[in-house]
Amino acid sequence: MSEVRPSSARRWLPWGAGVLGIGTFVTGAAIFATRTDHLSNIARLSGLRRPPELRNELADARSPYLRSAAQQPVAWQQWGPEAFELAARLDRPIWLDIGAIWCHWCHVMDRESYEDPEIAALINEGFVPVKVDRDERPDIDGRYQAAHAALTGQGGGWPLTMFLTPDGRPFAGGTYFPPDSRGGLPGLRQVAPQIATVYREQHQDVLQVAQQVQNHLAQLGAGESAAGSLEPAVVQAVTERVGSAFDKEFGGFGASPGPKFPGSEAIRLALARGFLTESEPLRVAALETLRAYARSGLRDYVNGGFYRYSTNRELTVPHFEKMDYVQSELLRAYLDAFRMTGDSLFASVARDIMRYVDSTLSDRVNGGFYAHQDADISLDDDGSYYTWSVTQIEAAATTAERAGALRLFYGIEEQGEMREDPRQNVLREVRSPAAVARELGMPESHALALLESGRSALLAARQQGPAPLVEQTKFTNRNAMMISAYLEAHESLGDEEARDFALKSLDYLLGNAVESDGSVLHATADGESYVPGFMADYANLGNALLQAYMVSGRGAYLDVAQKVMERAVTLFWDDARGGFFDRQAEPDAPALLVDRKKDFIDAPLPGDNAVAATVLEKLYLLTSGDHWQRRAEETLAAFAAAAAQMGTGAATYALALDLHLNKPAQTVVIGGRDDPRTEALARAAWRTYRPGRLVAVYDPGTLSLEELPPAVAGAARVFGSDPTPRAYVCVGQTCAPPTTSPTDVAVLVRDYGRVGPR
């Protein structure tokens, strides 16, 4: 889902089509077709009895996005019972605006319209305006995006502008609106009185549409979680769709003009199934996509990291915001590729992602990861912080030779790619260092030195000016994803600093966002955690805790993981049909939130239930608790029929189902943590690629045999008090003979107990 540019917004608006399509229904046409002779007559509203004045209530909001609108003349309310009670008491529709601080067009709409006193007066007099931060409340955003699709038959985006009955049911909506009608788009000066008049004078029609929308969304949610049998054919069906979506020309998935999102989970699925089935086309799809991303406009070569998505199929012009979850999931994909191939390119890109995260998205003092960095410095630039003109390259490089090498390598031309300022170029690798050397008539080593010093010069130049805002809220689910990725970086690259900061960040979450009964909070800002956690928070935190337990050997992490997942079952489990709901039950919630959803689709974050099933399966493997495996099986079964019909969106689900059907290699290294032989055995297992493989290190000086998985404990007893570090590689209940050889460990992790071709 992307931001909405004005040029593309027409298709999102119900007025563009003249009807509101709800599933197979076509309703609401009369609402908008019969009042056009006077809907923009502002005098009608101003002549009414003056309503009570509202005031802007965002100054005390925790969200920086909401606080940024605290000085607007629109009387914004925070989402909550007070706002809905106010709307019911005044009998007014709710004007719902959903956006994010990183959303460029949200800020454009703020400046053009919501900071305009005349437009603000129209909104304040006819509505109860409510503003929502979509990162803080993804549950609200997801439901009203779906409602927008039901009303218009089209996808949504941000800003999202929805019109609700006082109990929260949507009856009309759009995305970006200009202040005045232009380019076929209705302006807010016309829309505000139009909707207010419709609500008053065609009230029963409005309620009918709102009820149809709610009914449609409830039916849609039931269909999205269709249950089925847990068969290898489900994994195969998803994998085939992922493979067929591979863009052989440009990399990535999908051949539409754009946008193109990274699809990290689909990459990891293609790698996994390519390895397990020895499918060269799947391997090629995944590895070539990662290579394409590494040289594309998606990558920030100066600061490191990747942008949120490409606006086009060719991967040349991105949307420049940089999200924590994009970094974490691409980091995991590049680490997988490095372990599979040993190609240093993938390790280099992984380190470059961490260079950016370490410098910009990390709270190095307290621990934890910040949410994202904006695309723009101001509303008047078009990614200018991240793009370069020929003049800027020449000035930053300081020497003609260095500038020449940079221009050749990154394709810097007088005519760039940016629509608003054609002089600006998006950096992307268009030539190899060897090709640059040939064109400049110099040794490749000298060209490489020029490019390396040139990148440093560009970074120094960029740092001289202001940088786009970094949103410092720490979202639990996304922090947990980054923690898991950093622990994998320790395993794959031997990066001890990544491990130490990951554990520090995890401890920060446990100290701030996790309560004694295992309840989790979603967001932490200024040292205070708030918003009851969503299933995504519980599932991803559980995954990070298990990863930390295996890396560190600290039993407390395993204990908390079990407590968190037990609490998740209590709060989110669907006793009737299996699977986890996205949010806690709230009988008094506004209309759309009463109907809880069960997410398993990667859109774009990994699906809640897919991650939860993975965690439950790992808990079974690490504790031998049969109840965890039963819960994993019930979770997976709740979505099997739906997943079988999907492609890239079901990638994490397919990985989870594959883990369940084909037990992974489970390596246990027993030895003193300070013994270099223990480290060598663990490193050999960590750096070997096999999908789903688990590696845990146990120090016999701190753990008893009873704390080991049963199969390992039984084998370990044979050796009694022998202090020699050794590794056990097991699949299911069967273990290979223990070994003290790192070389043997690598072979066993890769091949022991594998089913299928090798």
Side-chain angles (χ1 to χ4, degrees):
M1 191 173 293
S2 59
E3 291 183 57
V4 179
R5 289 182 176 269
S7 60
S8 65
R10 180 183 304 181
R11 68 176 184 270
W12 313 126
L13 304 177
W15 297 275
V19 297
L20 299 178
I22 307 174
T24 59
F25 301 99
V26 179
T27 62
I31 293 179
F32 301 105
T34 62
R35 312 300 299 179
T36 55
D37 56 333
H38 65 280
L39 289 178
S40 61
N41 185 354
I42 298 173
R44 282 178 58 92
L45 286 178
S46 60
L48 297 173
R49 180 173 59 86
R50 189 165 187 81
E53 289 190 7
L54 306 180
R55 67 178 187 178
N56 189 305
E57 300 287 355
L58 300 186
D60 295 329
R62 291 188 174 99
S63 160
Y65 173 63
L66 298 186
R67 289 199 304 272
S68 72
Q71 302 305 315
Q72 291 175 1
V74 177
W76 294 115
Q77 309 296 299
Q78 296 188 55
W79 178 281
E82 296 84 359
F84 290 95
E85 290 167 5
L86 180 62
R89 187 169 72 250
L90 299 178
D91 191 20
R92 293 185 188 175
I94 291 171
W95 183 297
L96 177 63
D97 176 72
I98 301 178
I101 201 165
W102 46 261
C103 167
H104 175 81
W105 288 103
C106 299
H107 295 302
V108 169
M109 195 165 167
D110 282 343
R111 183 174 68 177
E112 289 181 340
S113 298
Y114 294 142
E115 295 176 9
D116 183 299
E118 182 181 345
I119 292 176
L122 290 173
I123 295 173
N124 294 342
E125 290 171 1
F127 302 84
V128 172
V130 175
K131 202 172 188 73
V132 169
D133 181 338
R134 65 91 42 219
D135 289 324
E136 186 177 270
R137 294 301 304 268
D139 57 331
I140 298 171
D141 178 61
R143 284 161 172 77
Y144 287 98
Q145 295 286 352
H148 176 273
L151 284 162
T152 67
Q154 299 290 340
W158 304 281
L160 183 68
T161 310
M162 299 296 290
F163 305 103
L164 321 179
T165 60
D167 62 358
R169 293 179 295 167
F171 62 89
T175 51
Y176 167 83
F177 290 92
D180 297 290
S181 298
R182 65 171 184 248
L185 300 178
L188 287 190
R189 296 183 207 280
Q190 293 76 46
V191 169
Q194 174 184 355
I195 295 293
T197 302
V198 164
Y199 179 79
R200 289 195 316 275
E201 298 188 2
Q202 296 180 293
H203 193 67
Q204 290 305 311
D205 291 329
V206 164
L207 296 180
Q208 181 181 2
V209 170
Q211 187 60 52
Q212 288 176 324
V213 172
Q214 185 175 11
N215 293 344
H216 171 73
L217 294 178
Q219 294 170 2
L220 186 67
E224 287 178 346
S225 58
S229 300
L230 301 182
E231 304 289 345
V234 176
V235 178
Q236 184 61 26
V238 175
T239 303
E240 288 175 356
R241 287 182 170 86
V242 167
S244 64
F246 172 54
D247 185 344
K248 296 179 181 178
E249 186 173 0
F250 298 106
F253 300 95
S256 66
K260 182 179 283 184
F261 290 84
S264 303
E265 290 74 24
I267 296 171
R268 298 187 69 222
L269 175 63
L271 285 172
R273 296 301 296 169
F275 174 85
L276 293 171
T277 67
E278 296 188 356
S279 168
E280 190 62 20
L282 286 173
R283 281 171 45 91
V284 167
L287 297 175
E288 287 306 308
T289 289
L290 291 172
R291 292 187 179 102
Y293 290 171
R295 59 178 181 267
S296 76
L298 272 175
R299 185 179 176 189
D300 183 353
Y301 300 90
V302 178
N303 286 77
F306 285 84
Y307 306 116
R308 188 161 70 100
Y309 69 93
S310 173
T311 64
N312 58 17
R313 177 189 175 195
E314 296 80 10
L315 304 174
T316 58
V317 181
H319 241 281
F320 290 100
E321 57 269 12
K322 298 170 78 175
M323 320 301 288
D324 54 354
Y325 61 83
V326 171
Q327 315 312 319
S328 67
E329 298 314 280
L330 278 175
L331 175 55
R332 297 180 73 195
Y334 277 100
L335 292 170
D336 278 357
F338 173 61
R339 286 199 303 272
M340 174 184 278
T341 66
D343 188 334
S344 61
L345 167 68
F346 300 125
S348 175
V349 176
R351 291 188 178 96
D352 205 43
I353 293 171
M354 290 191 292
R355 174 172 69 92
Y356 168 69
V357 174
D358 287 346
S359 68
T360 308
L361 294 186
S362 298
D363 181 350
R364 308 308 291 185
V365 174
N366 301 300
F369 297 92
Y370 301 139
H372 53 257
Q373 185 173 27
D374 283 6
D376 310 302
I377 297 170
S378 74
L379 294 180
D380 300 314
D381 72 60
D382 184 30
S384 58
Y385 176 80
Y386 298 104
T387 59
W388 301 84
S389 68
V390 170
T391 301
Q392 289 171 328
I393 288 287
E394 291 175 345
T398 68
T399 71
E401 185 182 43
R402 187 184 290 143
L406 290 171
R407 287 192 60 185
L408 285 171
F409 188 66
Y410 291 119
I412 307 299
E413 305 289 351
E414 294 289 348
Q415 181 76 20
E417 299 86 4
M418 302 307 295
R419 180 169 55 184
E420 300 298 325
D421 187 351
R423 298 171 299 174
Q424 296 300 112
N425 292 257
V426 178
L427 300 187
R428 63 186 191 281
E429 293 184 13
V430 300
R431 292 176 181 82
S432 67
V436 171
R438 285 195 300 271
E439 291 199 36
L440 295 179
M442 62 177 61
E444 185 176 349
S445 59
H446 186 51
L448 284 168
L450 287 174
L451 293 172
E452 185 61 31
S453 63
R455 278 190 289 268
S456 298
L458 296 183
L459 178 60
R462 187 181 275 181
Q463 290 173 336
Q464 290 177 6
L469 175 74
V470 173
E471 156 67 289
Q472 295 189 350
T473 303
K474 301 168 184 175
F475 296 106
T476 299
N477 60 324
R478 290 154 56 170
N479 262 256
M481 290 163 62
M482 191 69 79
I483 289 165
S484 295
Y486 262 50
L487 291 173
E488 289 187 26
H490 160 65
E491 294 177 349
S492 302
L493 306 175
D495 190 329
E496 294 185 0
E497 289 187 9
R499 176 201 61 199
D500 293 346
F501 188 72
L503 296 177
K504 178 178 181 177
S505 298
L506 180 58
D507 291 342
Y508 176 86
L509 288 183
L510 296 179
N512 289 272
V514 180
E515 299 174 346
S516 59
D517 66 350
S519 295
V520 178
L521 296 170
H522 173 60
T524 302
D526 300 322
E528 184 177 359
S529 297
Y530 60 102
V531 180
F534 304 106
M535 187 58 209
D537 298 303
Y538 286 77
N540 285 287
L541 180 59
N543 198 48
L545 285 162
L546 294 182
Q547 189 82 3
Y549 165 64
M550 288 185 285
V551 166
S552 70
R554 299 177 195 169
Y557 288 138
L558 177 61
D559 294 341
V560 178
Q562 295 188 84
K563 182 178 288 188
V564 165
M565 293 308 294
E566 287 165 355
R567 187 65 177 154
V569 170
T570 300
L571 295 174
F572 302 101
W573 184 253
D574 181 356
D575 289 321
R577 301 177 62 188
F580 293 90
F581 291 113
D582 65 327
R583 67 190 308 276
Q584 301 177 32
E586 189 181 355
D588 298 328
L592 294 193
L593 295 186
V594 171
D595 296 324
R596 297 193 290 170
K597 302 190 305 173
K598 292 189 292 186
D599 294 328
F600 79 98
I601 298 170
D602 305 332
L605 276 68
D608 301 356
N609 277 275
V611 177
T614 302
V615 175
L616 294 167
E617 193 69 35
K618 288 181 180 178
L619 278 170
Y620 165 69
L621 293 168
L622 292 169
T623 69
S624 299
D626 290 337
H627 64 294
W628 295 123
Q629 187 178 46
R630 286 195 301 272
R631 193 74 71 177
E633 186 169 312
E634 291 168 356
T635 302
L636 291 165
F639 307 95
Q645 306 304 315
M646 300 189 65
T648 56
T652 303
Y653 175 90
L655 286 167
L657 179 55
D658 203 32
L659 182 72
H660 176 74
L661 294 174
N662 302 298
K663 298 307 179 192
Q666 188 172 358
T667 303
V668 174
V669 178
I670 300 178
R673 282 200 165 267
D674 296 331
D675 192 322
R677 295 172 296 176
T678 303
E679 177 67 21
L681 292 169
R683 189 163 53 247
W686 281 331
R687 294 186 180 182
T688 300
Y689 180 77
R690 182 167 175 178
R693 62 102 178 96
L694 302 178
V695 182
V697 180
Y698 296 100
D699 187 336
T702 60
L703 288 173
S704 66
L705 290 177
E706 287 70 27
E707 295 177 86
L708 298 176
V712 177
R717 285 189 180 93
V718 174
F719 287 85
S721 59
D722 183 352
T724 305
R726 65 186 66 86
Y728 301 84
V729 179
C730 306
V731 174
Q733 298 300 315
T734 304
C735 295
T739 180
T740 59
S741 165
T743 301
D744 290 347
V745 168
V747 172
L748 289 169
V749 169
R750 186 182 67 238
D751 294 331
Y752 182 72
R754 276 180 57 187
V755 176
R758 275 178 286 190

